[in-house]
Amino acid sequence: MADGIKWLAAGDIPVEGVVFACGISADELAVRLGGVLGEATEPIADGEVEHLGMRGRSYGVRGDGVVRVGEDAGWAFAVEYGDSTGADRLEEIASGRVDAVHYLPMGARPPARFHYAKNGVLTCGFGIGEESRRWGAEPDLLLLELIAEKVLHPDGSQNFPPSREHSMAYQERSLGVLEQRFGLSLPRAVLGEARLPAYGVRGTPAMRTGPEPDHRQIKAWAATLGLTWNDAGGRVPSHVREAWNHIARQDPKETA
């Protein structure tokens, strides 16, 4: 039995977004997000993504983005990490008779957001909890379903949850509309033990999960600055790697 997507309303989802696409393979979805065909990692679990050496976003500079991809219920999916590209490329992903959905988990403000594109056109979008404000080429595409599930009143105005305790159930109703209309499903195991190939889609993540060949050299350098870490897996923390690369650019002799 498919897991659906209502469980994404939990609010503690450790990803930046989820992209679904119908009409293309998981690998093609990764390519349309910016990945390079043939350059996926070996299948990895959610907890191993932190070892891929992603640089975080800084003021005015994009960070690195990674996706893990798979297929479920007739849709390819990409789970986004870091500064990924789903929000920027949805219309491109939907080109050529492809349907594409992007779900962006957020807090109460700004809200989680949904966008749907087909045939290269942004068709419908809204914030979860702000469904009365919709946009796209067909903003009322899901209006009747949202009313039927009591997300909206019959006149299209917002049906707010009576209390904060009811907020999660309210979001589940909204996600349930998307689940039923499009047949979307994301296996819960994707954020647990399931192992999926990962692609770099933005920036220059290291995309290695095993021991890094220069970790001993970098650890020795960091130790001179009084910095240590648990490197049982032979990995260099991303902030240390970023400092090391910065020094290498400034003075190559220092890291030779």
Side-chain angles (χ1 to χ4, degrees):
M1 181 176 177
D3 288 341
I5 63 168
K6 288 191 287 187
W7 63 273
L8 291 172
D12 57 352
I13 307 302
V15 297
E16 296 301 319
V18 184
V19 182
F20 299 91
C22 184
I24 55 176
S25 69
D27 289 327
E28 175 62 19
L29 173 57
V31 169
R32 293 192 183 198
L33 283 163
V36 177
L37 191 63
E39 294 190 4
T41 67
E42 72 280 6
I44 63 173
D46 176 75
E48 295 175 89
V49 173
E50 65 184 44
H51 300 313
L52 297 180
M54 286 187 288
R55 180 190 66 239
R57 180 192 290 236
S58 58
Y59 182 75
V61 179
R62 289 281 197 179
D64 295 329
V66 167
V67 296
R68 292 168 61 236
V69 298
E71 298 181 16
D72 191 45
W75 290 73
F77 64 80
V79 181
E80 300 184 284
Y81 302 85
D83 196 4
S84 189
T85 58
D88 304 329
R89 298 193 177 201
L90 196 66
E91 291 167 281
E92 179 181 341
I93 293 167
S95 63
R97 294 180 174 272
V98 172
D99 292 275
V101 170
H102 187 233
Y103 175 68
L104 184 68
M106 299 287 278
R109 290 290 182 272
R113 292 196 296 273
F114 150 79
H115 288 95
Y116 167 60
K118 63 179 180 180
N119 295 330
V121 177
L122 178 62
T123 305
C124 182
F126 50 76
I128 307 299
E130 297 181 355
E131 293 84 356
S132 61
R133 299 171 58 192
R134 302 176 302 280
W135 53 84
E138 299 177 46
D140 292 340
L141 179 70
L142 303 174
L143 178 59
L144 294 181
E145 288 99 323
L146 291 169
I147 292 173
E149 290 299 318
K150 296 181 171 55
V151 174
L152 298 177
H153 291 298
D155 64 359
S157 62
Q158 200 73 42
N159 183 13
F160 293 104
S163 68
R164 181 170 295 186
E165 288 73 23
H166 292 83
S167 178
M168 181 174 168
Y170 175 93
Q171 292 186 45
E172 286 180 347
R173 291 205 304 272
S174 193
L175 288 177
V177 169
L178 309 182
E179 182 180 301
Q180 291 299 315
R181 176 63 180 262
F182 301 109
L184 299 175
S185 180
L186 181 70
R188 291 175 183 263
V190 165
L191 300 185
E193 71 278 6
R195 307 185 70 82
L196 299 169
Y199 286 83
V201 295
R202 196 197 300 273
T204 56
M207 301 307 291
R208 294 186 300 269
T209 58
E212 296 177 286
D214 57 358
H215 85 277
R216 291 182 181 274
Q217 180 186 8
I218 297 177
K219 186 175 183 182
W221 164 77
T224 65
L225 302 175
L227 177 63
T228 61
W229 65 88
N230 180 1
D231 68 342
R235 307 294 306 175
V236 177
S238 59
H239 67 283
V240 177
R241 168 70 64 183
E242 194 167 343
W244 173 263
N245 291 341
H246 176 75
I247 290 175
R249 290 191 295 268
Q250 298 296 318
D251 185 1
K253 294 179 181 179
E254 182 72 19
T255 59

